[in-house]
Amino acid sequence: MKKKVFVFFPDGVGLRNFAFTDFKAIGENMGFDITYWNNTVFSLQDNLGFKEVKIENHQIHPLTPIYSRARKRCELNVSRDKFNDDVYPTYKFPFNYNGIKNSIRSIYTKFLIGKYSSEKGVEYLRKKINALERKNPKYAYCRAQLETHKPDLIFCTTQRATQSISALLAAKDLGIPTVAFVYSWDNVPKAMQVVETDYYCVWSQHMKREVLQYYSFVKENQVFVTGTPQFEPHYDDSLKETRKTFFEQYNLDVKKKYICYSGDDETTSPLDQYYLEDLAIAVRSLNEKGYNLGIIYRKCPVDFTSRYDEVINTYNDIIEVLDPIWKQVGKQWNQVLPAKEDFKMLYNVCEHSEFVTNVCSSTVFDFVAHDKSCIYYNYEQPQLKKGIRDIGQNYKYVHFRSMPSENAAVFCRDKNNLEHLIKQILDGKLSNVGDGKKWFEIIVGKNPTRASETIWTTINSILN
């Protein structure tokens, strides 16, 4: 008899990895009965023809956000003290004192932080959140769904969503094994493990070491190294279009060489538009010296600002905008959902660009999969003033310490040096691809093409 697995989407971030790749087809070929347990506004049944159970109740307990914020800050305080490292406070977002309600929430959160910033305190907060969510009506709602459908295992596509807590507690209380996929390469040191499951799937040995280092309640045999489906499409040659076809589709000039500028969200890089402008100025200068270059600007899918517009309009002879094929179905950042067609676009942007430039993005790995370099901007903009976040702190984050060497990316530390770096890469005199591939293996693992298959093999071993 086929084992029934619920693939759980608490929000839309997992769609790209687990709905739009071959993940489902691979699982079905291995003999699993797969149902998507869907807490998102995107209907997998209507759009993809997938079997789904919709979660219509999106409640969380009113106190859960407060206790979750306190839990995260307390964990960061524990890490700061445990590792004697001041990087951890830089992961914190400022408190909100706009209005009476926000002020009361912030004051109460600070009280909790003051009381529970210890390992035992964090454990108390986790138990408190679980107790609150068991009282949340969504718990009974999800439990009833599980009792009706009787899955053999729940695979949760991200560890970081408060929307998943009550649903996973219901599964655990019914004795259904639960597995969480650690969603992103920077999530573990940032205290973003919201859920506690029976097992965890991580990208690499590096990430497994991090989970065991930061979470003493997780045991070694609970963590499985599987890789991530995120990069699998880069090895799917069926997505590749000829340069001529791709350029015609997006009105690009086949005579030009294009540099990709990969935009960032406003939190990570608040002055991002000025780095795009710096690139445009350098490209214009190089074109005057005999090069024939353009820029493909691919924005961050969850950036809804108009901050790039002026730069794009000023340099419209150089910059071509290729927006990611994502659809906004709600107002939250995690309600901007990718379309399957975006895999093909990203593959060909990587394939037909000379290299990529950005502020500290994981697109370094997308491009290195295509043997292309990456320039990271790491200098202050003159527009930086009090209250605006300096991008330099990004490179001090723990996940950047995984670089095997400084040469795993090309760092531009001085605006005046940008044109020279671009010229060196174009002339074949500078590349980070060698060390970039070593970094890729550290973060993504040794088998980037087989992550989906490995996850299903892991699920099979847990069930048996």
Side-chain angles (χ1 to χ4, degrees):
M1 191 170 167
K2 288 184 176 181
K3 295 288 189 181
K4 182 188 276 191
V5 174
F6 265 22
V7 178
F8 177 29
F9 287 131
D11 59 25
V13 298
L15 282 169
R16 189 177 180 85
N17 284 338
F18 299 106
F20 298 148
T21 59
D22 292 329
F23 181 76
K24 175 175 174 283
I26 290 167
E28 286 175 338
N29 288 338
M30 291 172 70
F32 291 99
D33 176 2
I34 300 165
T35 299
Y36 284 87
W37 199 22
N38 188 3
N39 192 66
T40 77
V41 292
F42 179 87
S43 172
L44 292 146
Q45 180 95 46
D46 295 345
N47 289 286
L48 300 173
F50 292 177
K51 187 165 58 173
E52 72 177 347
V53 172
K54 284 285 278 182
I55 300 174
E56 302 291 356
N57 184 330
H58 298 141
Q59 279 183 277
I60 55 175
H61 192 283
L63 290 175
T64 294
I66 294 171
Y67 277 89
S68 291
R69 282 189 206 108
R71 188 270 316 152
K72 179 172 180 173
R73 280 178 166 259
C74 288
E75 273 192 30
L76 292 170
N77 289 345
V78 168
S79 292
R80 176 199 61 205
D81 297 341
K82 186 176 179 180
F83 304 118
N84 192 26
D85 194 331
D86 287 333
V87 73
Y88 296 99
T90 66
Y91 289 126
K92 297 175 183 178
F93 287 104
F95 287 104
N96 184 353
Y97 294 99
N98 291 333
I100 293 172
K101 279 187 180 178
N102 286 326
S103 296
I104 291 169
R105 286 192 195 107
S106 293
I107 290 165
Y108 187 51
T109 305
K110 289 182 89 167
F111 164 75
L112 293 171
I113 294 162
K115 192 171 182 182
Y116 296 112
S117 283
S118 65
E119 292 201 37
K120 282 192 174 178
V122 170
E123 187 182 341
Y124 167 81
L125 290 175
R126 284 186 171 275
K127 286 178 178 173
K128 176 68 175 178
I129 291 165
N130 290 347
L132 292 170
E133 285 301 304
R134 281 191 172 96
K135 294 175 188 170
N136 176 15
K138 184 175 179 176
Y139 170 85
Y141 173 94
C142 290
R143 184 168 176 140
Q145 286 188 329
L146 295 172
E147 287 172 329
T148 300
H149 294 279
K150 296 181 169 55
D152 294 295
L153 181 142
I154 312 291
F155 177 76
C156 182
T157 53
T158 172
Q159 85 301 349
R160 55 190 268 184
T162 50
Q163 276 286 339
S164 63
I165 300 171
S166 53
L168 291 171
L169 287 170
K172 290 180 86 170
D173 292 348
L174 290 168
I176 302 167
T178 56
V179 184
F181 179 75
V182 179
Y183 168 70
S184 190
W185 68 310
D186 64 349
N187 280 184
V188 181
K190 287 166 77 171
M192 297 187 81
Q193 187 165 308
V194 171
V195 300
E196 297 158 72
T197 50
D198 299 311
Y199 303 97
Y200 302 89
C201 288
V202 296
W203 295 19
S204 60
Q205 287 291 344
H206 171 81
M207 196 181 273
K208 179 173 181 173
R209 284 192 296 272
E210 284 189 325
V211 170
L212 297 174
Q213 179 184 7
Y214 287 94
Y215 296 105
S216 56
F217 60 84
V218 178
K219 302 294 176 263
E220 198 271 341
N221 63 354
Q222 292 176 272
V223 188
F224 292 87
V225 175
T226 60
T228 172
Q230 181 172 326
F231 300 99
E232 285 180 337
H234 290 300
Y235 301 91
D236 180 358
D237 290 341
S238 71
L239 297 175
K240 185 175 181 177
E241 295 178 314
T242 65
R243 180 180 169 87
K244 184 174 182 290
T245 302
F246 180 67
F247 277 42
E248 283 176 359
Q249 185 179 355
Y250 292 105
N251 297 314
L252 302 173
D253 183 348
V254 77
K255 295 173 188 169
K256 282 185 179 178
K257 289 184 174 182
Y258 284 90
I259 298 163
C260 178
Y261 185 94
S262 177
D264 246 307
D265 63 89
E266 199 170 16
T267 302
T268 304
S269 183
L271 300 174
D272 208 58
Q273 65 273 28
Y274 299 112
Y275 296 100
L276 175 60
E277 184 174 38
D278 292 345
L279 177 62
I281 290 167
V283 163
R284 187 168 276 176
S285 174
L286 285 165
N287 285 348
E288 288 169 359
K289 294 168 184 171
Y291 287 81
N292 190 12
L293 305 173
I295 297 168
I296 291 173
Y297 164 63
R298 180 178 158 93
K299 76 169 189 173
C300 172
V302 296
D303 188 338
F304 312 123
T305 65
S306 59
R307 59 197 175 124
Y308 297 91
D309 291 357
E310 188 179 340
V311 175
I312 290 165
N313 292 332
T314 302
Y315 297 92
N316 60 10
D317 57 318
I318 294 171
I319 300 172
E320 296 291 342
V321 177
L322 269 65
D323 283 338
I325 308 171
W326 289 47
K327 294 169 185 171
Q328 188 173 352
V329 293
K331 292 181 179 177
Q332 304 298 320
W333 73 269
N334 59 11
Q335 291 178 319
V336 184
L337 307 181
K340 195 168 185 177
E341 300 78 26
D342 193 53
F343 281 136
K344 191 169 195 172
M345 179 198 257
L346 179 57
Y347 180 106
N348 286 286
V349 167
C350 295
E351 187 67 20
H352 299 299
S353 299
E354 300 304 304
F355 60 91
V356 68
T357 79
N358 57 59
V359 174
C360 77
S361 162
S362 64
T363 51
V364 62
F365 301 129
D366 295 288
F367 276 78
V368 87
H370 292 258
D371 298 318
K372 303 291 175 71
S373 288
C374 170
I375 291 179
Y376 274 151
Y377 299 98
N378 189 15
Y379 55 82
E380 286 182 5
Q381 291 290 1
Q383 295 85 355
L384 186 70
K385 58 186 180 186
K386 191 175 181 183
I388 297 178
R389 191 173 172 279
D390 175 14
I391 59 135
Q393 77 180 59
N394 294 315
Y395 300 107
K396 296 174 184 172
Y397 286 156
V398 175
H399 59 289
F400 274 97
R401 298 174 188 175
S402 62
M403 294 175 77
S405 78
E406 281 271 304
N407 301 321
V410 177
F411 282 92
C412 182
R413 294 184 173 86
D414 184 338
K415 184 189 299 195
N416 297 320
N417 200 31
L418 179 59
E419 183 181 327
H420 175 65
L421 293 176
I422 293 168
K423 186 177 183 301
Q424 280 196 302
I425 293 173
L426 292 171
D427 294 348
K429 295 176 181 176
L430 178 65
S431 169
N432 65 285
V433 172
D435 281 10
K437 283 186 178 291
K438 291 176 188 172
W439 192 21
F440 182 91
E441 186 176 303
I442 289 167
I443 295 297
V444 181
K446 292 180 184 294
N447 297 304
T449 62
R450 298 181 60 190
S452 294
E453 181 187 337
T454 308
I455 290 169
W456 285 116
T457 302
T458 299
I459 288 169
N460 192 52
S461 69
I462 289 167
L463 287 168
N464 291 326

